[in-house]
Amino acid sequence: MAVVSEAESRPATPSHGHRALPFGDTTGEKLVHGDLPIETSTTRHMDPEKDSTWAPSEPGLTHRAERVKAERRLLLKLDFAILPFAVLLYLSAYLDRGNLANARLQGLEGQVLNGSDTNYSIALSCFFITYITFSIPGTLLAKKMNPSISISAGALIWSIAATCQAAAFNPAGLYVCRLFVGIGEAMFGQAMALHLSFWYTKKDLAKRVGLFISAGSLAGAFGGLIAYGVTSITGSPMPQYKILFLIEGLPSFVLAIAVALFMPSRPEKSRLLNEEERTLVLTRLNRDISSEGQGIDWNGVIRCLVDPKTYVVSIAYSCMNLTLGSVGGFLPTIIKGLGKSNADAQLFTVPPYIVALVVMLLLTTFSDWRQARGIPVACIFIIGVIGWAVLLNIPAANITSTQFSARYFACCLIVTAGYTNIPLIIAWQAGNCPSESQRATSLGMLNSIGQCLSVLAAFLFPTHEGPQYIKGCTVNIAFQALGFFLAIFMTIWYRWENRRRDRIEGGCPPVGAHIDVVTKYDLAPGFRYTP
C-alpha cells in the first residue's frame, strides 16, 4: 500500500453545500432545479443503485458504465489509503483500553491494587470519566483542524499513558494512567468515525465503520492470545502484567507518529487524490451530506444539543456500552468462573470475539445494502438479552459439559451484542446529521452520554457474587431490553417523519436537487432520515 504525506493543496471542488455536476455528465435533456441541472426524459430509467436517473441512449449507457468503474476505483483507493490506519488505531486503542482485564489475572490486582475489587473497579471507571468528559471536544477538534493531526495526538497521549501503566506501583499511579488513556482515546474514538464521513457517503459508511470497529473484536481476540503468551514467560524479574502493558503500549507510540505523517486528512486538501478524483469524491459526498470545510459551525453544534433525537440514540448507545463495558472488564473473569485456569481463561476469550467480528461484518454490509439501521440494531439488542438471560439462568458452579457449552455460547452472544451495534449506531447517527458540525457534535454525544453506563459496568461483577453474577446479568438484560425498545421507537419515528415530509413537500426531491443542510441541517426541505 502506498502512503501519501499530507500537505495543504488547493481545493478543486465545491463546498458549503453546493454540488458538483455528476462525474462526466454529458447526456440527457436538463431542467434547472435550484442551482443544479436535473436530467429529464420522456422515458426515464432508475439506476439500480437509486442514486441517479439516466437516459436510455448509447452515450448514456457508456457514461454510466464509466462512472461506476471510476467510483469503484476511487473507493478501492480510499479503502487502501485510509482503512488500514483506522483499523490499526482501533486495534491499538482497544488493546490498551482492555488489557486491564487480562492484567488482573496476571497479578495486577494483588501487586498494585492491594487485592481490592473496589480498586480494580475504580481503575476501570477512571478511563470512562475522561473518555466521557472529552469526547465532544475531542471530536470537534477533528472538525476544527486537520483530523490526522488531532487523531495522532490522541494516539500519542494514550500510548504513553498505557505504557506507563507498567511503572505504576500503587492504585493512585494506575488511576492517573487510566485517566490519560481516556483523554487520548476521546480524541480518537468518534473522531475517526467523523473522519470516515468526510470521505464516504451514507451508502458506504456502515460497512467502513464496521471494518474499523471490527478491530475492537480483533483486539479482544489478540489481547487474549497475547495474554496467554505472556503467561508462558517464566523466570523474568518483571511481573507478567508489566510485560503485557509494555508489549501492547509501545507499538501504539510508533503508530501515532505514522498517522501524523501519512494518514489522509480531508478530500479537499489531500495529495492522495488527483483533481479528477477530488471532483468525483466530493460530488459523491454532496449527494447526501454537506461539506463546510475546516472549522466549526456553532449553530450546527447548537442544533445537535437541542435535538431530542440525539439524546434518544445516545441512550440506546449507552445501553449497548453497558454490555461492552461488562465484556471488556470481566469476560476473562466470567470464563474463569466456569472452571478454567487463568491461562485457559485468557485463551477461551478468543472465539467469542471472532464470532462477533463475523456477525459485525455481515450485518453492516447488509445494513448498507438495505439502508436500514434501526431494525438491525434492535436485532442485536435481542441477541444481548438472550445471551445474558442464559448466563443468568444456567448454573455456573459444578456445571456439566452441556451447561458449560450453553454458558460459553452465551458468552459469544454477549460479545456479539457488545460490538456489533457500535458501527450500526455510529452510522445511524452520522447519516441522519447532514451538517458536519452537527455530525461531529452528535458523534461526540454518543460517547458523552453513551459511555455513562460503562462506568456502572465496572461495579457490576464483584468477586463475591461470582461465578453466577446475578446482579450483573440482570442489569444487562434490563438495559439491552431498553435499547431494543429505543431502536424500534426511533425506526418508527424516522419512517413517520419521512412520510410526513413527503406529504408536505409533494414527494421526495429530484435526484441532484440542492438541499440546504448547511444552514437548516436535518430540518432542511428535501432531507430524509435513514430509518
Side-chain angles (χ1 to χ4, degrees):
M1 179 192 69
V3 290
V4 183
S5 177
E6 282 303 311
E8 295 285 331
S9 63
R10 175 180 58 84
T13 53
S15 59
H16 305 289
H18 297 286
R19 295 181 175 83
L21 295 180
F23 179 74
D25 194 342
T26 58
T27 62
E29 180 189 356
K30 302 178 185 288
L31 295 176
V32 174
H33 181 95
D35 61 348
L36 286 174
I38 304 298
E39 295 189 22
T40 62
S41 174
T42 54
T43 304
R44 301 179 66 85
H45 292 249
M46 290 303 298
D47 190 306
E49 298 173 358
K50 300 181 181 179
D51 63 353
S52 64
T53 54
W54 50 280
S57 62
E58 190 64 31
L61 292 171
T62 301
H63 155 69
R64 177 177 177 275
E66 290 302 316
R67 177 180 64 82
V68 170
K69 288 180 182 178
E71 290 192 357
R72 286 177 179 170
R73 287 195 300 268
L74 174 67
L75 286 174
L76 188 62
K77 184 175 183 177
L78 297 182
D79 289 345
F80 274 97
I82 299 172
L83 290 181
F85 286 108
V87 169
L88 289 174
L89 281 167
Y90 210 78
L91 177 66
S92 169
Y94 259 79
L95 281 174
D96 291 336
R97 176 196 305 191
N99 56 18
L100 217 61
N102 300 112
R104 184 188 192 187
L105 300 184
Q106 295 177 338
L108 174 71
E109 188 169 276
Q111 297 184 40
V112 177
L113 298 174
N114 302 325
S116 170
D117 277 356
T118 301
N119 287 344
Y120 175 73
S121 295
I122 293 173
L124 285 176
S125 62
C126 281
F127 167 84
F128 294 108
I129 291 170
T130 48
Y131 193 50
I132 290 167
T133 304
F134 290 97
S135 280
I136 293 178
T139 308
L140 286 174
L141 189 63
K143 177 69 176 73
K144 177 66 175 177
M145 61 186 296
N146 188 330
S148 61
I149 299 301
S150 67
I151 290 172
S152 66
L156 198 64
I157 292 171
W158 93 58
S159 63
I160 293 173
T163 304
C164 287
Q165 290 177 135
F169 58 87
N170 59 24
L174 187 62
Y175 298 162
V176 171
C177 290
R178 297 295 294 178
L179 288 170
F180 276 95
V181 172
I183 292 173
E185 292 202 24
M187 298 171 63
F188 160 69
Q190 301 301 330
M192 193 69 227
L194 176 70
H195 182 48
L196 292 178
S197 75
F198 293 159
W199 293 88
Y200 295 100
T201 68
K202 289 193 293 186
K203 292 182 178 180
D204 309 323
L205 193 58
K207 182 163 61 177
R208 269 71 184 189
V209 173
L211 284 170
F212 103 85
I213 297 293
S214 69
S217 298
L218 288 175
F222 282 134
L225 290 173
I226 293 171
Y228 180 76
V230 169
T231 59
S232 65
I233 299 176
T234 58
S236 172
M238 185 180 296
Q240 290 179 345
Y241 73 88
K242 291 188 177 185
I243 297 173
L244 181 67
F245 286 147
L246 292 174
I247 289 175
E248 296 184 352
L250 288 173
S252 303
F253 183 85
V254 178
L255 178 61
I257 297 173
V259 168
L261 294 175
F262 303 119
M263 189 174 79
S265 57
R266 295 182 63 109
E268 298 95 332
K269 300 178 179 182
S270 178
R271 286 184 175 180
L272 171 72
L273 306 174
N274 59 40
E275 295 307 308
E276 184 178 88
E277 291 169 335
R278 199 185 316 279
T279 300
L280 178 56
V281 70
L282 288 179
T283 298
R284 297 180 78 250
L285 288 170
N286 277 306
R287 291 172 185 169
D288 53 17
I289 56 178
S290 74
S291 176
E292 302 164 11
Q294 196 164 297
I296 299 172
D297 172 18
W298 291 104
N299 289 326
V301 174
I302 293 171
R303 167 58 193 159
C304 170
L305 295 177
V306 301
D307 184 5
K309 301 189 300 297
T310 300
Y311 296 89
V312 175
V313 176
S314 295
I315 292 171
Y317 194 74
S318 191
C319 294
M320 177 273 300
N321 270 313
L322 180 66
T323 285
L324 183 62
S326 300
V327 166
F330 297 97
L331 183 63
T333 303
I334 292 172
I335 292 178
K336 181 185 176 184
L338 301 181
K340 298 299 177 181
S341 66
N342 286 349
D344 287 344
Q346 309 280 18
L347 192 60
F348 269 78
T349 62
V350 175
Y353 287 105
I354 301 300
V355 172
L357 172 64
V358 173
V359 174
M360 180 192 303
L361 295 179
L362 290 175
L363 198 57
T364 51
T365 301
F366 172 81
S367 176
D368 271 348
W369 173 53
R370 298 296 299 176
Q371 278 297 283
R373 309 293 191 212
I375 297 302
V377 167
C379 291
I380 294 300
F381 277 122
I382 290 295
I383 289 175
V385 170
I386 294 172
W388 286 112
V390 171
L391 289 178
L392 177 65
N393 288 286
I394 292 184
N398 302 317
I399 58 177
T400 65
S401 60
T402 301
Q403 290 171 328
F404 172 83
S405 299
R407 288 184 64 84
Y408 191 65
F409 175 71
C411 288
C412 295
L413 295 183
I414 64 173
V415 175
T416 299
Y419 281 93
T420 305
N421 264 344
I422 301 175
L424 292 173
I425 296 178
I426 287 176
W428 204 13
Q429 190 86 308
N432 288 328
C433 296
S435 156
E436 287 183 357
S437 295
Q438 179 190 8
R439 192 183 322 136
T441 310
S442 67
L443 289 174
M445 290 281 283
L446 284 183
N447 274 349
S448 292
I449 294 175
Q451 294 289 350
C452 290
L453 288 177
S454 297
V455 179
L456 173 62
F459 297 89
L460 288 180
F461 297 87
T463 301
H464 68 270
E465 294 188 8
Q468 196 73 42
Y469 299 111
I470 294 175
K471 178 174 65 179
C473 294
T474 303
V475 173
N476 270 283
I477 290 171
F479 280 100
Q480 289 285 294
L482 175 60
F484 167 79
F485 287 114
L486 291 177
I488 294 297
F489 171 79
M490 289 308 302
T491 301
I492 294 172
W493 189 90
Y494 282 136
R495 291 178 177 177
W496 175 85
E497 176 64 13
N498 286 345
R499 288 194 295 268
R500 186 188 71 83
R501 294 186 184 190
D502 285 345
R503 289 195 301 270
I504 293 175
E505 299 170 16
C508 291
V511 173
H514 174 59
I515 301 174
D516 186 17
V517 295
V518 173
T519 60
K520 296 182 180 178
Y521 315 109
D522 60 308
L523 301 177
F527 179 76
R528 297 296 184 269
Y529 296 106
T530 302

